[in-house]
Amino acid sequence: MKKVKKMKRYDELLVEFKKILKENRLKYTIQREVILKVLFDSKKHTTPEEIYDLVKVRFPKLKTGIATVYRTLNLLEANNVINSITFGAMGKKYELDNKPHHDHLICDECGKIIEFEDEEIEIRQCEIAKKYNFKIKSHIMQLHGICEECEKGGERVDI
Ligand SMILES: [Zn+2]
Ligand SMILES: [Zn+2]
């Protein structure tokens, strides 16, 4: 029942990335590559600003503008290499589409993202699709709300 997705290695992703750049008549640059690298190494969902900061910390000699980060993220998302989650009015967070399937709880107050997987939900989705003779290729489930800390009115985390 459960599809096992093969996780791509970094070199495989890089080949894919270079192909996408070529198809879009964009030059391969190290500035563009490091954005992919940072996303690959990131264990969590990251905002463009966080990616920009991580690039600056990890590759201090590279001059990468925030505009390059935004443009590269848009390109990667349009080509299904990364996924984004929109939270509240604050913006978007990105993750590489290279993890086993999971769904998300999103706090619209602080932007926290909790990942979960529920076998019953997955099975029900397949049953519903079957009922309508519908072939599922993918699905995205995002539950928006307020996390435990924000509900308690705890400290606001600025991100
Ligand atoms: Zn919260
Ligand atoms: Zn996720």
Side-chain angles (χ1 to χ4, degrees):
M1 173 72 60
K2 219 195 293 179
K3 269 179 286 169
V4 181
K5 197 160 76 179
K6 193 179 159 280
M7 311 249 290
K8 290 177 195 135
R9 295 190 317 264
Y10 183 70
D11 58 310
E12 294 172 313
L13 269 169
L14 187 58
V15 168
E16 198 181 328
F17 183 51
K18 286 181 177 170
K19 204 176 129 228
I20 291 166
L21 287 171
K22 212 170 166 189
E23 282 167 3
N24 288 274
R25 294 199 190 87
L26 293 166
K27 260 200 311 190
Y28 162 84
T29 62
I30 188 74
Q31 281 84 354
R32 288 188 169 127
E33 184 190 330
V34 294
I35 296 163
L36 183 73
K37 181 83 184 110
V38 163
L39 280 159
F40 183 80
D41 293 336
S42 176
K43 298 280 170 282
K44 60 182 191 83
H45 300 247
T46 38
T47 64
E49 294 75 22
E50 284 168 341
I51 293 164
Y52 176 66
D53 289 340
L54 284 166
V55 167
K56 272 199 298 191
V57 170
R58 287 185 52 189
F59 308 93
K61 289 201 185 113
L62 278 184
K63 283 203 167 66
T64 305
I66 187 87
T68 304
V69 174
Y70 282 117
R71 275 200 301 267
T72 307
L73 290 172
N74 287 337
L75 180 74
L76 290 170
E77 187 173 20
N79 287 279
N80 303 314
V81 178
I82 59 174
N83 295 318
S84 74
I85 285 177
T86 305
F87 58 97
M90 286 182 283
K92 274 182 164 188
K93 285 188 175 184
Y94 294 87
E95 77 175 335
L96 213 59
D97 184 18
N98 197 31
K99 284 202 262 179
H101 176 73
H102 59 272
D103 292 306
H104 299 101
L105 295 168
I106 300 143
C107 176
D108 288 327
E109 291 275 327
C110 70
K112 182 191 291 160
I113 295 171
I114 300 163
E115 299 187 333
F116 71 93
E117 220 216 312
D118 187 287
E119 193 69 30
E120 275 176 54
I121 289 173
E122 301 297 322
I123 291 169
R124 280 296 292 144
Q125 287 178 146
C126 290
E127 287 170 355
I128 292 162
K130 208 170 165 191
K131 189 174 143 192
Y132 293 94
N133 287 319
F134 186 85
K135 193 170 167 235
I136 305 181
K137 283 194 190 159
S138 67
H139 78 265
I140 294 167
M141 185 162 59
Q142 301 182 354
L143 305 178
H144 283 265
I146 300 172
C147 74
E148 196 179 356
E149 283 79 46
C150 291
E151 181 65 31
K152 277 190 220 143
E155 251 175 86
R156 287 284 140 91
V157 189
D158 269 315
I159 45 170

